[in-house]
Every structure is written in structure tokens, then in C-alpha cells.
């Protein structure tokens, strides 16, 4: 298909209005040049090891910062933001794991539908247009920043003026030549450093610089054992971490004053705001993927979620809660040594050392290393008596 050379009659103002009508909280337009500073920053941080084993846009920075890789001949990016702010967290279940707010509902699906309304209008005029969101093919924050939608906060999220950072972002890449809405906004954080100060693992090592190796949002998604030094910091988080956003003053204001988004009635989300730990540790792989398959799960391996659930269980379970013996025994004898080792940690954290005979002679080095490391117990054997 030949690239369209038409520049009208579709206009930036029309597309902005169309996006807002489709539910977007903000819409902006930028040129489709190589995205900076994202390209430079991704390369620098990747070389410094700050990405850890995270892939996503770090996998190929030259691709994820070049819109023409998505659409040869691209001229413009129409960036959009979909709000998930104003959603109060339901009262927590004492034996559940918290889910980050963006993942309560598939907000990216809502975002894509709104962006498709813009892309459809462009296609009606003979232009090519591709929607991209939550993809390693484009650094959506840089696209939105370039379009003047918001500024980079010290937690590296994009903040929208007067609206904070409770947004998912995406873009339409098109060969239409549109009037930009920029320039990028200046910093609006000022001297505030609450996100840096309140990060539970000190993962924000400088304003706008996050070390993924310390970030709980990544740690609970990544495969393999969870580093011992971060397990108590995980607390009751089973997927994602919102701490650097919940302490942000603009977000706090939105949470106090905003009404529930129009998308909320479509959510099954009171049950998605948390995960029953006993359920995820006893359900089949198929059932867990059926409910949570839109999450990022390393290698689509449900044991990654169960590994985190065992850590959360160790952090939140109490003798007054539901019986744990069956679950702990099952995972102490599990075929997967990562799960055996995390079950051993949970058992020791809960003071259930009486169960450790199951792994006392375990030949796996992961389990042996686990048992040789001290764990601060929350209870002792007497607490579980009777």
C-alpha cells in the first residue's frame, strides 16, 4: 500500500475532540521522529544494569524509540491517556494479596478502543494508522511527553497537570502530517520528593531514575526466586506496587475528590483489587490464567504468581486465619524447588518450623541455601497451639 500524502481534511483539533469523546482524559500530537530522551536513557540505564532482566522497551531501544519501525513513513503520533483514578480500594481481606490499581480492570482495552476511534478517522481519510499501547514497540510515556500531555515525575511516571499519574498511555502512529500540540511541559514536581522518600525498597535512586532490580512492581513479575532482602518489603503485594503513586500529592487529591471513572461499571474489579491467597495456591493453572492471564506473567508460568503468593502468605497470615498446614505441606513437597524454597521461607516466617522436616534433606541447592539463611519469624509454635 502506498503511503498517503494527504494532509487534510482531518485536523489535530478534530482528533483531540474525537479522542476526548471516546473517553480519553487527554490527547496530544507529536512528530514521529526518534523518541528522545527515551532512546539515550534506555541505552544508558541498560548498560548500567538498572533494567535487571526486564525486557519490554529495554529489549531493543532503537526499535522502541523509532515510530517508523511500527509504520514506515510515519509522520505523527497521536498520544492518548486513559484515566483509572478515583478508584477507592475495597476493604482488604486479611489473607489476600493486593493488586496494583491499573490491573484491577483491563484499562488498556478501553484505551485501545478509544485510540481506534482516532485511527479509524485517519483511515477514513486515506491515511495509514496503527494503534500501540502497553507494547515493547513504543515508549508511550515519551510519546505523551513529546505531545505536551504531561511531565516526567520523579517516580518516572508521566504526570498530567491537575490530574496526576493514574493513567495508562498509548498512541496512534500515522502517516498523516498533523499539527503538534507540544512542546513538552516543564517539570511540575518542584521540590517534592515523597515518591523517592516513600519507596519501600529505595528503588528510585535519583529523580526519574528507577532501578528495576529493587522495584517491587518488577520483582513480583520477574521469574526465579524473589531476593530474600525484599520479601518482607513485598508485604501483601501480589501484583504491582502503587506506593510511589499513592503518596504523590496530585494523586492524593484526585483520590479524595474524583468520581469513579465511567469505565468502572464494566469492572469485575472489586475481586480484581486483591487475590485470595488460598485460592491462587490451590487453583489449577488453567483457572489462574483464565482469571489473571492478561497480567504479565514471566514465561506464562503460573508458578511465578504462586511463588509471590507464598511470600505474601508468610507476611500476612495469622494463627486466627484459615488453616495453612495443607498448603504449606503441599508446597514444601512441590516438584518446583523455587516453590519449595519459598514455602520454607513462609513456614519459618510464620513460626511453623515443625513442618520443615519435609525439606530437611532436600538435595536442591536453592532449598539448602534458603534453609541456611536467617528469617525473622512473626510467630512462634505456641501461637499455633490449639
Amino acid at each position: 500500500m502506498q503511503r498517503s500524502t494527504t494532509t487534510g481534511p482531518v485536523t489535530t483539533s478534530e482528533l483531540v475532540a474525537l479522542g476526548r469523546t471516546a473517553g480519553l482524559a487527554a490527547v496530544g500530537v507529536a512528530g514521529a521522529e526518534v523518541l528522545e530522551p527515551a532512546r539515550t536513557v534506555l541505552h544508558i540505564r541498560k548498560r548500567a544494569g538498572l533494567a535487571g532482566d526486564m525486557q519490554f522497551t529495554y529489549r531493543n531501544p532503537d526499535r522502541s524509540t523509532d515510530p517508523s519501525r511500527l509504520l514506515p513513513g510515519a509522520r505523527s503520533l497521536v498520544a492518548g491517556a486513559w484515566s483509572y483514578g478515583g478508584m477507592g480500594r475495597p476493604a482488604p481481606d486479611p489473607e489476600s494479596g493486593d493488586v496494583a490499581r491499573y490491573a484491577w480492570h483491563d484499562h488498556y482495552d478501553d484505551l485501545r478502543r478509544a485510540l481506534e476511534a482516532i485511527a479509524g478517522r485517519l483511515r477514513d481519510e486515506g491515511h495509514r494508522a496503527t494503534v500501540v499501547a502497553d507494547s515493547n514497540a513504543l515508549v508511550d510515556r515519551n510519546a505523551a511527553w513529546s505531545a505536551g500531555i504531561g511531565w516526567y515525575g520523579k517516580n518516572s511516571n508521566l504526570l498530567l497537570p491537575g490530574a496526576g499519574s493514574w493513567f495508562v498511555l498509548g498512541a496512534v502512529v500515522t502517516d498523516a502530517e498533523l499539527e503538534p500540540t507540544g512542546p513538552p511541559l516543564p517539570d511540575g514536581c518542584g521540590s517534592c520528593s515523597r515518591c523517592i522518600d516513600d519507596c519501600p525498597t529505595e528503588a528510585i535512586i535519583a529523580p526519574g531514575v528507577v532501578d528495576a532490580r529493587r522495584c517491587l512492581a518488577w520483582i513480583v513479575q520477574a521469574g526465579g526466586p524473589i531476593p530474600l532482602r525484599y520479601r518482607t518489603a513485598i508485604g501483601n503485594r501480589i501484583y504491582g506496587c502503587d506506593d510511589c503513586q499513592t503518596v504523590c500529592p496530585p494523586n492524593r487529591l484526585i483520590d479524595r475528590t474524583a468520581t469513579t471513572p465511567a469505565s468502572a461499571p464494566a469492572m469485575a474489579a472489586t475481586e480484581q483489587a486483591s487475590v485470595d491467597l488460598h485460592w491462587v495456591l490451590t487453583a489449577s493453572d488453567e483457572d489462574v490464567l483464565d482469571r489473571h492471564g492478561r497480567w504479565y506473567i514471566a514465561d506464562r508460568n503460573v508458578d511465578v504468581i504462586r511463588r509471590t503468593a507464598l511470600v505474601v502468605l508468610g507476611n500476612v497470615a495469622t494463627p486466627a486465619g484459615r488453616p495453612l498446614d495443607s498448603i504449606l505441606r503441599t508446597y514444601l513437597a512441590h516438584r518446583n524447588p523455587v516453590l519449595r524454597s519459598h514455602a520454607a521461607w513462609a513456614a519459618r516466617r510464620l513460626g511453623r518450623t515443625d513442618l520443615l522436616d519435609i525439606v530437611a534433606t532436600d538435595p536442591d541447592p536453592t532449598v539448602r541455601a534458603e534453609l541456611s539463611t536467617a528469617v525473622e519469624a512473626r510467630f512462634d509454635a505456641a501461637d499455633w497451639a490449639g
Side-chain angles (χ1 to χ4, degrees):
M1 178 178 178
Q2 293 296 313
R3 178 175 61 82
S4 170
T5 58
T6 306
T7 58
V10 67
T11 65
T12 290
S13 59
E14 179 187 355
L15 295 178
V16 169
L18 181 60
R20 296 300 295 268
T21 299
L24 295 174
V27 186
V29 174
E33 298 82 14
V34 167
L35 296 174
E36 291 286 3
R39 175 171 288 191
T40 297
V41 166
L42 288 174
H43 278 297
I44 290 173
R45 295 181 188 175
K46 188 175 182 178
R47 286 197 297 270
L50 297 181
D53 55 359
M54 181 186 291
Q55 296 297 313
F56 203 56
T57 53
Y58 278 105
R59 183 187 299 273
N60 186 341
D62 289 342
R63 182 190 66 177
S64 60
T65 56
D66 185 355
S68 69
R69 298 282 191 99
L70 276 167
L71 186 75
R75 292 182 177 179
S76 302
L77 301 175
V78 185
W82 182 273
S83 173
Y84 60 94
M87 297 163 56
R89 181 177 290 279
D93 181 318
E95 292 188 6
S96 66
D98 272 6
V99 177
R101 192 182 301 193
Y102 82 91
W104 293 2
H105 166 70
D106 193 353
H107 295 287
Y108 278 107
D109 187 55
D110 298 326
L111 171 66
R112 291 185 187 96
R113 285 200 302 268
L115 292 172
E116 276 294 345
I118 294 172
R121 177 72 183 95
L122 288 161
R123 295 181 194 120
D124 288 344
E125 292 300 324
H127 297 289
R128 289 179 296 140
T130 297
V131 170
V132 57
D134 192 30
S135 166
N136 64 11
L138 193 73
V139 183
D140 46 27
R141 276 178 292 183
N142 201 141
W145 175 81
S146 299
I149 284 179
W151 73 88
Y152 281 111
K154 290 177 182 174
N155 59 6
S156 84
N157 288 310
L158 199 78
L159 276 77
L160 278 62
S165 63
W166 296 123
F167 297 93
V168 289
L169 305 169
V172 177
V173 185
T174 180
D175 61 0
E177 190 164 0
L178 301 167
E179 185 69 25
T181 56
L185 297 181
D187 170 65
C189 293
S191 61
C192 180
S193 62
R194 291 189 187 181
C195 58
I196 297 174
D197 301 337
D198 285 43
C199 176
T201 56
E202 299 181 339
I204 307 173
I205 60 175
V209 183
V210 177
D211 185 341
R213 297 167 298 184
R214 304 186 199 179
C215 180
L216 295 179
W218 173 243
I219 288 170
V220 300
Q221 291 184 13
I226 293 175
L228 282 164
R229 61 187 177 278
Y230 298 129
R231 292 184 192 172
T232 57
I234 283 173
N236 68 342
R237 302 171 182 85
I238 196 166
Y239 190 76
C241 176
D242 283 333
D243 281 24
C244 68
Q245 298 199 83
T246 55
V247 300
C248 179
N251 287 343
R252 289 170 64 87
L253 179 62
I254 291 298
D255 284 347
R256 288 196 302 269
T257 62
T259 57
T260 303
S263 60
M267 295 193 295
T270 50
E271 63 176 358
Q272 294 293 319
S274 62
V275 174
D276 184 296
L277 299 173
H278 291 254
W279 177 82
V280 82
L281 288 168
T282 56
S284 68
D285 289 3
E286 293 75 16
D287 285 346
V288 174
L289 287 173
D290 183 61
R291 183 176 294 185
H292 301 297
R294 60 182 172 79
W295 291 357
Y296 174 81
I297 302 171
D299 300 321
R300 307 304 293 165
N301 183 357
V302 173
D303 283 352
V304 172
I305 298 178
R306 295 190 179 114
R307 167 215 63 183
T308 308
L310 287 166
V311 171
V312 177
L313 196 71
N315 287 331
V316 305
T318 69
R322 284 176 280 176
L324 298 175
D325 285 39
S326 177
I327 285 176
L328 290 175
R329 289 182 183 280
T330 294
Y331 282 93
L332 286 166
H334 201 277
R335 57 175 172 72
N336 184 336
V338 172
L339 293 183
R340 296 200 302 276
S341 67
H342 285 65
W345 183 88
R348 293 197 295 157
R349 178 90 164 125
L350 294 170
R352 296 302 310 274
T353 54
D354 56 302
L355 301 177
L356 294 181
D357 60 309
I358 299 172
V359 290
T361 59
D362 197 301
D364 188 88
T366 302
V367 181
R368 292 202 305 272
E370 184 77 48
L371 294 172
S372 68
T373 305
V375 173
E376 182 180 356
R378 297 172 54 231
F379 304 102
D380 57 37
D383 294 316
W384 299 90

